[in-house]
Amino acid sequence: MAYVKDNPFMEGSSGTIAKKMNFRVKKNKTVIGKNPGARTGKPTDEQLAVQDRFTDAVLYAQYAMKDPQLKAQYQRAAKGGQTAYNAAFRDAATSPVIHEINISGYKGTVGNVIAIKARDVIPPKTVSVAILSAAGEELESGEAVPHQTDVRLCIYTVTAANAALPGTRIVVTATDHPGNSTEKETVVA
């Protein structure tokens, strides 16, 4: 791969020459590379799955650009020459990450707080919390709310008492705007 420098005739060019050389513009630089040629053979199931995910990400990014509020959020998240469309595409192509479930404030009483640190391209659309007994019975569930000053945190306020604390499972599900979900759980010792 080569870059075009100080050549006003080739700068900004894109396309293929003589089925050998491929010109494209990447991050405002003209890049010259070998023509990849035609694909041979049928795509594998894994390749088809990647193509489906790519198509889904494109469709979501197009949808997000039509929603002024989403577009503004993605524009704020765009970095390093990216567009809002690029940020929306990246959001659709990746799932949220739950970095931490802080249960130090959970003592099994109503009003206790569980803090969740979840990230994505833009803050996740929802962060759900389910509290399960050691036997697997759901004690309560609900939505965590964004922290007032730290956009990385969501706070869940406990609404049901739990006398049998050891073995209690806290299951957190973060869902982003495109619909990707991540689940993480922790067990109270």
Side-chain angles (χ1 to χ4, degrees):
M1 177 179 356
Y3 293 97
V4 173
K5 295 180 182 176
D6 297 324
N7 186 335
F9 297 109
M10 297 306 295
E11 190 174 311
S13 298
S14 64
T16 303
I17 297 177
K19 297 181 183 179
K20 298 283 184 189
M21 294 178 12
N22 186 286
F23 288 77
R24 66 185 180 278
V25 178
K26 187 174 182 180
K27 293 187 180 181
N28 295 326
K29 291 183 179 180
T30 302
V31 181
I32 305 170
K34 180 183 170 197
N35 188 8
R39 178 180 297 198
T40 59
K42 286 186 175 182
T44 65
D45 289 342
E46 187 176 294
Q47 288 171 327
L48 290 172
V50 168
Q51 289 172 8
D52 284 344
R53 285 196 310 269
F54 183 89
T55 299
D56 291 344
V58 166
L59 292 172
Y60 175 76
Q62 290 172 346
Y63 159 79
M65 294 307 96
K66 294 176 185 172
D67 182 323
Q69 290 178 329
L70 270 178
K71 184 175 181 178
Q73 285 184 0
Y74 286 120
Q75 190 60 55
R76 286 190 297 275
K79 294 181 174 90
Q82 283 189 331
T83 64
Y85 180 92
N86 298 137
F89 180 92
R90 187 177 45 157
D91 195 20
T94 59
S95 295
V97 176
I98 301 170
H99 291 287
E100 180 182 357
I101 303 170
N102 184 340
I103 58 170
S104 63
Y106 180 57
K107 307 297 181 205
T109 57
V110 174
N112 287 164
V113 171
I114 298 171
I116 300 110
K117 189 181 283 187
R119 292 196 49 108
D120 203 4
V121 175
I122 60 176
K125 186 175 184 178
T126 61
V127 176
S128 304
V129 177
I131 300 178
L132 309 171
S133 69
E137 179 184 323
E138 184 175 299
L139 302 173
E140 70 175 288
S141 64
E143 299 291 324
V145 296
H147 191 273
Q148 292 179 349
T149 57
D150 189 346
V151 296
R152 298 173 300 164
L153 288 178
C154 289
I155 305 297
Y156 179 76
T157 305
V158 176
T159 60
N162 179 11
L165 214 50
T168 299
R169 292 178 23 228
I170 313 294
V171 180
V172 175
T173 305
T175 304
D176 63 11
H177 290 268
N180 301 314
S181 292
T182 300
E183 185 176 284
K184 185 174 184 175
E185 81 172 54
T186 189
V187 179
V188 178

